[in-house]
Every structure is written in C-alpha cells, then in structure tokens.
Amino acid sequence: MAALGAMSSASAETLNALFMAQAAYSDSDVKAMTAAFEKDNPGVTVNLEFVPYEALYDKIVASKAAGGAGYDVVLYDVIWPAAFAQNNVLVDVTDRLKGLDRSQIFDGAWATVDYDGKTYGMPWILDTKYLFYNTEMLKKAGIAAPPKTWEELAKDAKIIKDKGIVQYPIVWSWSQAEAVICDYVTIAAAYGGKFFDDGKPAFDKGGSLDALKYMVQTLKDGVSNPNSKEYLEEDVRKVFSAGDAAFALNWTYMYGKANDPAESKVVGKVGVEPAPGVEGKTAASAVNGSMALGITAGSSKVDLAWKYIAYLTSKPVQDKYAQLSLPIWKASYTDPAVTKGQEPLVQSADVAIGLMTPRPMVASYQELSTILQTQIQNALAGKATPEDALAAAAKDAARIR
Amino acid sequence: MSGRIGMPSPWLLLGPMLVVVLAAVGYPVVTTIWLAFTDTRLMAGPGSAHWIGLENFAYVFTDADFLAAAGRTVYFTLVSVSAEALLGIAVALLLNQEFHGRTFCRALLVLPWALPTIVNALMWRLVYQPDFGVLNAVLSQTGLIGSYRSWLGVESSAMNAVILADVWKNYPLVALIVLAALQSAPAELYGAATLDGANAWHRFRVVTWPIIAPPLLVALVLRSIEALKVFDIFYVMTHGGPASATKTMSFFVYEESFRFMRVGSGASYALIVVLICMVFVGVYVRLLKRQEAS
C-alpha cells in the first residue's frame, strides 16, 4: 500500500505557482511555457495564479504568514529579497547554481536574486524603463533626433505642445504606487542622486532633489500629462498607443504591444531610446526593474519547483518568448532569431542594462517606498515644494522602526 | 410528562453552535486584542512577539497621518450614508407608487447592490477614466466642463468621486428595506389621514415616517459600519492616492499589517476602528430607543 501511494505521488504531482498579470510576459505566454513543461514532465500539473503587480507582495507575505504551504513557485520583484531573506520566505538555492557560469547572465539580473552572499532564485525578467517616442510627431515638429538629456526632452515636448501636435507630450506612471518610484529613481540616477549616504537618507538633496524638481516643473509647464498622477504603466501604454503622447517612460513590454495592430494606433511609429541623461553628469539612465522566480520555504516539492524554474529561465524558452521580455542571457542579444523585428529595442537595451540603478536593498523597503510615494505625490499635487516634500520623507524614513 | 423526560438541556442543544461561534468569532477577536499589545511581526510569527503594553496605542494617537485618515473615513461615512439614506427613501417612495413597469424597476434596483464591490470599483474607474471615460464625454458634450478632467487623480475630487461610486452601489439596500416597510403600511391609515385634510408632507411625517424609521435606522447602522471599515473600493479605485487624499483607516490597518508586516501595531489600528464603529452604533441605538419610546 505504502509503495503504491509513493508511486502515485511520483507520477502525479502538482505545483502551485504565483505570477503577475501585467507587463513583461503575458498570461498566455506563461500558460504556453507551462504547458510545454507539463508535456515534457508527464504527470506534473502546474496550477497558475495571476495577480496584478500591486497584489504580488501581499500574496507572498500572506501565504508565508499562513504557514507557507500555499505556493511552491513565486515571481518576485528586485526590491524584496532583503525582506524575504531576513524572514526566511524563500529557499536558498546557492548550491544548485554551482554548475552555472554566472557571467552568462547580466549582473543586473543577478541583483534580483542575490542578498548577503546567497542566491534566492533565478532571475527571469530583465527589465528597465526606456524612453519611447512617437517618430511621426517628432518629425512633424521638426525634431531631428530623440532627446539625449532630460532638459532636451522637456524642450522638445514644449515645441510639440506649442505646435499643437498633442496637448500633453509626455506621459508617466506617477500614481501613488511603486510605479512613481521607478520613474523617480530613473531621473534621479541621471542627475547623480543618491538614496542613502552613510546609512542616512540622502534623497532630499543633490541629484535626487533635482529629479523631483524636474518632475514638478514639467507638470507646471504643461508638457507632462497631468493625469500621470493617477496612471500605472498600463495606462501609460494605452495613452501612448492611442497616439495621445509624444514621449513615454515605460518597461520593455510596451515596445511589442505598441507595435501590435490589435492594441495600438501607432504601429510602426514607435521609437525607443535609453532613458535620457543629464549634461555633464550622465549619458543615459536606467532603473533596475528586474524580477525573479523563487521557491517558497514552505514548499514540499523543492526539486520539482526548481526543475520548473530552470525550465522557464532557460535560454531556449526565453529566446522563444522574447517579444515582451528580453532574455537574461547575454548570448541572446546577438542571436538574430531573438533580435529580429525589435532591433531598436535591443540596441537601447545594450546601453540601458549596463546602467541599471537599484532601488535601496533594505528590509523595510516597502515602508520607505510608501513614504516616498506619498511625499512625491504631495509635491506633484502642489501641496508641498519638492524641498519640503523630500525633507519630510527623509524625516519619516529616519523613523522607520 | 413524557416531553420533560429525556429532554436535553438547552445548553446541550446550543452547544455545537456555540463551539462554531467561539471558533469563528471568539478566536480572531481574542487574538487581535492580544496582538495589539505586542510587537508581533507578520513573517516572524507569534513565537517571536513581546508584550509591549500600550506602546502601539500611544503611537496611534501621535500619528498625524492616522488621525487624518480617521477624519477622512468619518467624512466618507457621513456623506455617503446620508446620501444613501435620502436617495434610498426617495426611490422607495417612488417605487411604492402604482405605475406601469414597477416590477421591472424594482428588479433593476437590486442590480447595483448585487454587484461585487471590486466589479463596481473597476466599472467606476472606467467611468472616471480621464482620457476616454464616459463621465468626461457626457459632461463636455453637455457643455458643463470645457476640457476633459482627471477625477481620481486630483485631490479635491478623488474622495467625492469614490463616494459617488459607493452611493450608487449601496443606496438600493436602503431603498429595499424602506420599500418593504412601506408595503406593510395599511392603506386605511393614508385614507384616514387624507380625510383629516393632511397634505402630502403631513402624511409623510405622521404616517409614513413612523413606519419606515425603525427599519431605516437598522439599514443605516449596517451601512455606517461598512463605511467606517471601507477598504476594497479605495484599494481598487485610488490605492489611497493622490497624495493620500483617499487613505482610509482600514487602508492603514492593511499597510501596517501586510505591507510593513507589523501585525502588532496593525491590530491596534484595527481595534481603534472597532471602537469608532461602536461609538456610531451606540448613537444609533439611542436614537432607535427614543424612537420606540415616543
């Protein structure tokens, strides 16, 4: 009887996996990859659950607090490993990676899974924000080349606005959410700003302050879409794809979607560049928005979970689905089968991936981010000056318990 | 005689039910109260917790952000519940009249209330969508606004926009309860009042109001409690933004417990919410008693 039980569990096993229902790979991509994995591993079923990005962290934390027997495989963001490592949420897979030459994968991708000398999963989505532009609108405005600096971007946007080509040339994801932090960090990196200095908050001075001033100024000048204050990345994509913006800052996935006739009115007019820099300081800027797959500490099927993760993150699978999310593997970027049709994106990625600025790797990141989101929004709403807003954020951040 | 012999004690009959109630209600309540006096962290588990007395509560009352959230929540409750009451009574009186298609209208009334909150919130987000939302389209075509506006992204309108969405979904509950009471009103009362020369307003005050007041109060108690602990509609429509203009008390409980993982202090926020609810309920109960006495 016991033998029989063991046999049946070996031939019919179930994995529970948690994914995200926006950006990067689409739901149907993940379903297709998983179906192929199940075909290769008869008897294995993978239950997929898709939640919006905003609910991903809550789900992982709640399942850990409830005993952790819920998910085996979870998708997680580059900002969470510190909190996860300190609370024993994920399985340490350092030993499983011993046979792999780490230099085949970009450093920015590894930053997603490494914490304190240990590795907690495999990077899966290598992502940063790019500057997308509408080539037709730039041409109409007589702008020969896309802007290389943030100042130039604001100037070009003003020209486009004054010529009446579009009412609000730039669109951003500045809603009270993690999205606004990603835009802010991108601009702050260009201005040479720092988050912390000697362990103390430093986002209220220097380049970090200049970044928020820039954001507020573009709103005052009417070149930024004021609705940006309630937008997430998907809203930005829709506005850009509807032809209602000349410039947009967004993740990799927008390139494919903005060129998809079923979703977009600007097919063939989508330009992409690395996010701009600041004269005399930086040539371009980028934020690390990568994501990874990990095994929860409560999983009883660690080996099978790892097999699934290894499959999803393998080069052939990533190459096959490179339309919405570029692979983590360096070798993929010279493979014509991967780059075909998205050469401009891959060219920009060449620059941007090397520059990716991380958000602070601290266990209390969620709280720090919430404080910053609130104060950045206060400044964007005109309730406080950028100086006062960031000073208040620094004061609150120093108080985090 | 035979009925008395072998008749189990009432406690024995109630026993299974009591066990279920204690497990389902008692356990979480006791745990929450205990947590509120500790520094428990969500992922570290209860074993790591320390008893810290009133420290969490001391923090709550010095937290200007929480006090602001409490103020916002009370505003949300007062405005949305009174709007629901007025609209509910008006619609109930209307649907109590004899007219063609009344049954159809009554069925239609239940529809918003039957929608899950999340669906309602998503629907209203589309209505308010600044670029192609129907609200902007209607208002600008009728000339009421000059250009398209952001409703949920602007501090001055975000809270009221959510209130409108909440009222639309919840006034049918009030209307249904009031309508049920109206149906039970004996027609002779109205006839007698008319004979006595009472006008419409008098008839409402003397005949209708005493009939609908007690069930209306019950409906308002239910709605007020729900409004004070409101979370989901804000989570979907604004996520607390812009610039925290729609951050309610329950949003704080959620953030503290699940985002920042401090379930101990999250529980203390939750208890404060319960206390505020009890104050509201107390006021209503007194009103109800006065109503019954008169």
Side-chain angles (χ1 to χ4, degrees):
Chain A
M1 267 311 271
L4 225 140
M7 259 179 62
S8 69
S9 75
S11 61
E13 282 195 286
T14 310
L15 279 180
N16 293 313
L18 180 67
F19 289 94
M20 167 178 83
Q22 74 191 58
Y25 298 111
S26 71
D27 295 14
S28 52
D29 284 348
V30 177
K31 281 177 191 153
M33 293 174 198
T34 303
F37 174 77
E38 287 172 338
K39 212 176 156 202
D40 289 352
N41 295 273
V44 175
T45 318
V46 185
N47 293 328
L48 300 174
E49 187 176 335
F50 295 91
V51 296
Y53 171 80
E54 296 293 312
L56 201 52
Y57 181 81
D58 302 1
K59 283 265 183 189
I60 297 171
V61 168
S63 107
K64 159 72 182 168
Y71 304 109
D72 300 292
V73 173
V74 290
L75 175 67
Y76 66 91
D77 201 2
V78 63
I79 48 192
W80 303 332
F84 285 175
Q86 289 188 12
N87 291 293
N88 189 31
V89 176
L90 298 171
V91 173
D92 172 6
V93 296
T94 317
D95 288 344
R96 289 175 191 265
L97 287 167
K98 276 196 174 134
L100 179 74
D101 174 11
R102 285 174 63 106
S103 69
Q104 294 180 328
I105 292 173
F106 288 100
D107 286 345
W110 285 118
T112 319
V113 288
D114 288 342
Y115 183 74
D116 217 10
K118 289 178 182 158
T119 306
Y120 291 93
M122 265 300 275
W124 188 43
I125 296 167
L126 176 66
D127 215 344
T128 188
K129 287 203 168 183
Y130 298 91
L131 180 71
F132 293 89
Y133 59 95
N134 186 313
T135 51
E136 194 181 59
M137 287 183 189
L138 261 61
K139 208 194 251 166
K140 256 194 213 162
I143 298 164
K148 291 272 177 237
T149 67
W150 290 104
E151 287 307 319
E152 241 177 83
L153 170 66
K155 242 184 259 161
D156 288 352
K158 187 87 176 56
I159 296 172
I160 291 170
K161 187 184 172 79
D162 289 347
K163 291 199 171 165
I165 295 169
V166 65
Q167 193 185 4
Y168 297 116
I170 322 176
V171 60
W172 316 81
S173 46
W174 288 351
S175 156
Q176 187 156 335
E178 191 58 33
V180 69
I181 304 293
C182 294
D183 283 9
Y184 168 69
V185 169
T186 307
I187 305 171
Y191 280 96
K194 276 186 193 168
F195 249 88
F196 285 99
D197 211 0
D198 266 345
K200 283 197 187 113
F203 42 74
D204 55 340
K205 39 188 172 274
S208 305
L209 176 59
D210 293 340
L212 185 57
K213 280 184 179 164
Y214 176 84
M215 291 161 75
V216 171
Q217 193 57 44
T218 62
L219 278 174
K220 277 189 189 153
D221 295 345
V223 291
S224 282
N225 189 324
N227 302 335
S228 299
K229 287 179 282 178
E230 63 173 286
Y231 284 160
L232 291 171
E233 290 90 338
E234 271 295 85
D235 304 302
V236 169
R237 174 177 78 81
K238 283 175 190 154
V239 170
F240 184 82
S241 294
D244 290 335
F247 299 101
L249 200 66
N250 213 342
W251 306 106
T252 309
Y253 85 107
M254 190 163 102
Y255 191 77
K257 292 240 174 171
N259 276 314
D260 174 358
E263 306 245 5
S264 168
K265 289 188 201 160
V266 298
V267 176
K269 303 170 195 165
V270 185
V272 62
E273 286 288 319
V278 167
E279 211 178 315
K281 285 186 173 160
T282 49
S285 56
V287 60
N288 192 346
S290 302
M291 296 184 84
L293 294 169
I295 308 166
T296 60
S299 171
S300 57
K301 295 152 199 156
V302 176
D303 288 329
L304 184 61
W306 182 248
K307 200 173 175 189
Y308 178 53
I309 291 176
Y311 176 79
L312 290 185
T313 55
S314 66
K315 189 171 173 296
V317 173
Q318 287 222 308
D319 287 352
K320 191 174 167 193
Y321 295 93
Q323 280 303 318
L324 296 177
S325 181
L326 293 172
I328 55 170
W329 304 89
K330 289 178 185 168
S332 301
Y333 292 70
T334 49
D335 180 350
V338 174
T339 56
K340 191 169 175 288
Q342 46 184 0
E343 290 84 358
L345 179 68
V346 173
Q347 253 172 31
S348 307
D350 259 351
V351 179
I353 288 170
L355 291 172
M356 296 199 301
T357 306
R359 284 161 280 168
M361 288 283 192
V362 290
S364 53
Y365 180 77
Q366 291 298 326
E367 195 166 3
L368 175 67
S369 168
T370 303
I371 290 169
L372 268 170
Q373 288 167 28
T374 311
Q375 293 300 344
I376 289 175
Q377 279 234 321
N378 278 342
L380 296 177
K383 254 168 85 177
T385 63
E387 286 86 353
D388 290 349
L390 288 178
K395 209 174 123 206
D396 282 352
R399 244 184 23 170
I400 292 179
R401 295 171 294 165
Chain B
M1 270 306 273
S2 63
R4 282 212 164 235
I5 296 171
M7 174 88 154
S9 110
W11 287 108
L12 203 64
L13 285 170
L14 282 173
M17 193 60 212
L18 279 176
V19 171
V20 172
V21 169
L22 276 181
V25 181
Y27 175 75
V29 169
V30 172
T31 314
T32 306
I33 294 175
W34 178 76
L35 281 173
F37 295 95
T38 67
D39 62 353
T40 310
R41 296 238 156 201
L42 185 60
M43 291 197 286
S48 62
H50 303 101
W51 183 268
I52 54 168
L54 288 169
E55 209 175 290
N56 286 332
F57 291 94
Y59 190 74
V60 172
F61 291 112
T62 56
D63 187 349
D65 291 339
F66 182 73
L67 297 179
R72 255 173 241 134
T73 314
V74 170
Y75 173 81
F76 172 82
T77 305
L78 292 176
V79 177
S80 64
V81 173
S82 26
E84 281 157 26
L86 289 176
L87 200 60
I89 294 171
V91 169
L93 288 172
L94 195 71
L95 290 182
N96 196 39
Q97 308 296 316
E98 293 282 351
F99 63 89
H100 197 67
R102 185 170 74 157
T103 321
F104 176 73
C105 286
R106 284 184 183 175
L108 212 60
L109 176 68
V110 192
L111 214 66
W113 186 62
L115 278 183
T117 310
I118 303 290
V119 177
N120 181 53
L122 285 172
M123 188 186 84
W124 279 92
R125 244 182 77 171
L126 284 178
V127 170
Y128 291 131
Q129 214 287 340
D131 304 291
F132 43 80
V134 68
L135 183 68
N136 273 329
V138 168
L139 290 182
S140 71
Q141 273 164 27
T142 51
L144 287 169
I145 55 170
S147 64
Y148 278 26
R149 269 198 222 161
S150 164
W151 301 96
L152 296 172
V154 175
E155 272 184 277
S156 53
S157 63
M159 176 58 92
N160 291 328
V162 177
I163 287 178
L164 181 61
D166 187 71
V167 169
W168 185 82
K169 174 173 161 39
N170 287 312
Y171 87 87
L173 175 72
V174 181
L176 283 175
I177 290 175
V178 172
L179 185 60
L182 286 173
Q183 304 262 282
S184 69
E188 306 89 71
L189 277 180
Y190 288 97
T194 315
L195 276 180
D196 287 345
N199 63 20
W201 168 243
H202 275 126
R203 282 203 301 276
F204 176 80
R205 227 186 42 162
V206 181
V207 185
T208 312
W209 180 249
I211 294 170
I212 62 169
L216 179 67
L217 266 177
V218 173
L220 294 190
V221 171
L222 286 175
R223 283 298 313 133
S224 301
I225 294 176
E226 272 177 21
L228 283 169
K229 48 180 209 186
V230 65
F231 173 75
D232 35 14
I233 194 167
F234 286 104
Y235 182 86
V236 176
M237 287 185 73
T238 60
H239 221 82
S244 301
T246 60
K247 220 176 207 181
T248 62
M249 291 192 292
S250 291
F251 214 92
F252 259 79
V253 176
Y254 150 76
E255 252 184 15
E256 195 70 12
S257 308
F258 296 104
R259 295 244 105 181
F260 311 157
M261 297 185 277
R262 291 193 293 260
V263 261
S265 91
S268 67
Y269 286 120
L271 283 186
I272 306 275
V273 177
V274 172
L275 282 178
I276 296 177
C277 283
M278 284 165 78
V279 170
F280 263 75
V281 174
V283 171
Y284 281 124
V285 169
R286 290 193 68 151
L287 280 175
L288 197 60
K289 276 195 177 146
R290 197 187 300 162
Q291 190 83 45
E292 276 169 358
S294 66

